[in-house]
Amino acid sequence: MIRKFFLSLFFLLMLYSTTSAQFKDCPDEIAKALDTASSLCSSIKRNEVCYGNSQVVAKPRPDVKNFLFEKPGQIEKFSRIKSLEFSGLDIKTGVWGIAMMALQANLPNTLPGQNVMFLIFGDVQIQGDAQATKSVRSFYFQSTVSTLSCHDAPPNGLLVQTPEGARKVTFSVNDINVELGSTVFMQAQPATATTAGQYTIFVLEGHALLQVAGQTLYVPAGAGGTVPLDTQGKANGVPVLTFFHDSDVAYLPISKLPKSIQLTPSVLDSVGAGKDVAANNIPASSIWTYGYKLVSGCADWNLSPDLAGPVRIKFNADRSTFTLNADTYQQASVGVYVRSVPYMDVVWVYTIRFTSATTFDGNITAWWAQSKCKPFYSVTGSL
């Protein structure tokens, strides 16, 4: 009996030791797979897909001959591919499907070296548009919600980056018209009999514009957008502004993209937690003293001077939005409200955080494709 106990304990300890080692080595295995994919795919050209790491299963279009896309390092034209299916991360076997894709989108033929770069990883499926042309401006994809075997692993999805100096690159994904001048992360889950479908985009730097169902949504850096999807993974509703935390994008392999970037802090995390509006008896409608002050400016911006004065803040019934005079703010988290305003090539982001029943603070910042400088205003308010 005692012998059986110690044998059982021995095997339990061995199992724990093996599992711990796998988790400990996980970041190294992820880095190795990404380094390998980056090296193998360094010669990728416009409208091509490169097999970066096992396992990726590709199916050619019916009329395609001499199709070869079976092992890392092989490259095919995206227009010859009917579908791509990537394996999710499995630390035990070393399997983690990775590919790189370079699409022309609406970039001119006179700039062959410029492409929209896609780094695809994890449990993802991509379907080429049946009407695809050589410029490749449309495709469909879906990704599973990650059930990661490693804390440091990035979630399943697509990292997308537009080339330096390209302010407005457009393409269609899942019947959503996407305009980018930025780096973003995308995911998509089709609807099922029991769950709603959703396309999600996180803007890591720059901005994005989503157009679907006659509606346009501007998404600034540090924020996100969602669009409902049907069971076929196609857009089935209007776009909505959403928000994420820095931890949601902390492990994305942005260093493997062509252009070096610095992640824009999450809109939510940059202002911190606020006070519950209803629980703290913040008036449904009242006159507040509102002001903003320029903290850091930019030489090439014609910025507004500091301002202070009375404004009326009026909440809707469920406190999910409020108007500041005529401007509408949307709730991002408890006590935190955001307004995104496009103006020509600039996207301004206004944030207000209620800190008590009688005070709020926040900030105003902006992004402009032609300037790396970002102005910053601090905001204060009181009853």
Side-chain angles (χ1 to χ4, degrees):
M1 185 70 178
I2 295 176
R3 184 171 179 272
K4 288 183 178 179
F5 169 77
F6 280 110
L7 282 173
S8 298
L9 181 61
F10 172 76
F11 285 120
L12 181 62
L13 290 173
M14 284 295 292
L15 177 62
Y16 174 80
S17 175
T18 302
T19 303
S20 298
Q22 289 165 354
F23 275 77
K24 182 179 179 181
D25 295 341
C26 182
D28 294 334
E29 293 300 321
I30 288 172
K32 181 180 178 181
L34 289 167
D35 287 343
T36 299
S38 180
S39 175
L40 291 174
C41 298
S42 60
S43 62
I44 189 173
K45 296 181 176 61
R46 172 169 283 182
N47 296 325
E48 291 182 340
V49 184
C50 173
Y51 192 140
N53 192 69
S54 295
Q55 187 176 11
V56 181
V57 177
K59 293 182 179 179
R61 294 180 182 274
D63 58 338
V64 169
K65 307 295 183 183
N66 301 318
F67 185 80
L68 195 60
F69 201 84
E70 298 174 347
K71 61 181 181 180
Q74 292 180 329
I75 296 174
E76 268 288 357
K77 289 285 187 182
F78 184 66
S79 59
R80 288 165 50 85
I81 296 174
K82 179 182 179 181
S83 65
L84 294 165
E85 186 171 342
F86 297 72
S87 295
L89 176 64
D90 188 333
I91 293 300
K92 293 181 180 180
T93 63
V95 168
W96 187 33
I98 303 176
M100 296 195 75
M101 183 164 68
L103 299 187
Q104 179 178 0
N106 68 323
L107 292 167
N109 291 325
T110 53
L111 298 172
Q114 289 196 327
N115 302 291
V116 183
M117 295 301 302
F118 294 77
L119 178 56
I120 309 151
F121 42 85
D123 194 348
V124 174
Q125 296 178 38
I126 294 180
Q127 191 82 21
D129 189 335
Q131 307 300 319
T133 61
K134 291 183 178 181
S135 61
V136 189
R137 300 186 183 186
S138 176
F139 66 93
Y140 299 86
F141 85 101
Q142 66 181 62
S143 57
T144 62
V145 177
S146 299
T147 53
L148 299 175
S149 58
C150 169
H151 177 264
D152 295 339
N156 305 316
L158 283 64
L159 264 178
V160 189
Q161 187 176 75
T162 57
E164 188 76 46
R167 290 181 292 161
K168 294 181 180 180
V169 177
T170 61
F171 55 90
S172 174
V173 53
N174 294 41
D175 290 344
I176 303 163
N177 291 322
V178 180
E179 178 184 295
L180 299 180
S182 54
T183 304
V184 304
F185 179 62
M186 302 193 304
Q187 296 176 301
Q189 292 86 39
T192 68
T194 57
T195 60
Q198 182 172 278
Y199 163 86
T200 304
I201 185 171
F202 292 161
V203 180
L204 308 179
E205 60 91 25
H207 82 288
L209 182 151
L210 306 180
Q211 292 179 316
V212 62
Q215 299 290 318
T216 299
L217 176 71
Y218 291 86
V219 185
T226 61
V227 177
L229 299 180
D230 62 18
T231 55
Q232 302 300 311
K234 297 182 178 181
N236 190 35
V238 299
V240 176
L241 188 66
T242 58
F243 303 92
F244 60 88
H245 292 282
D246 292 332
S247 58
D248 295 327
V249 298
Y251 298 108
L252 294 176
I254 59 172
S255 63
K256 301 306 175 184
L257 294 171
K259 184 173 62 177
S260 176
I261 67 164
Q262 183 174 356
L263 287 177
T264 301
S266 155
V267 169
L268 292 182
D269 294 340
S270 65
V271 297
K275 297 293 185 181
D276 185 276
V277 172
N280 286 271
N281 299 315
I282 296 174
S285 179
S286 188
I287 300 296
W288 294 69
T289 299
Y290 170 88
Y292 57 75
K293 182 178 181 180
L294 183 63
V295 176
S296 58
C298 302
D300 52 348
W301 293 62
N302 183 19
L303 297 169
S304 300
D306 300 349
L307 175 146
V311 297
R312 175 172 290 279
I313 291 181
K314 183 177 181 180
F315 288 89
N316 69 341
D318 64 3
R319 305 298 183 98
S320 62
T321 65
F322 71 75
T323 55
L324 188 154
N325 291 341
D327 300 328
T328 299
Y329 285 71
Q330 173 188 327
Q331 187 175 29
S333 63
V334 174
V336 178
Y337 294 77
V338 177
R339 174 174 172 249
S340 176
V341 182
Y343 177 73
M344 299 180 68
D345 288 335
V346 180
V347 180
W348 287 91
V349 182
Y350 299 72
T351 306
I352 285 180
R353 176 186 64 156
F354 289 91
T355 53
S356 74
T358 59
T359 59
F360 64 73
D361 59 18
N363 59 62
I364 304 171
T365 188
W367 178 86
W368 186 29
Q370 296 182 16
S371 173
K372 292 186 177 180
C373 179
K374 295 177 176 59
F376 184 89
Y377 291 85
S378 63
V379 171
T380 57
S382 62
L383 273 176

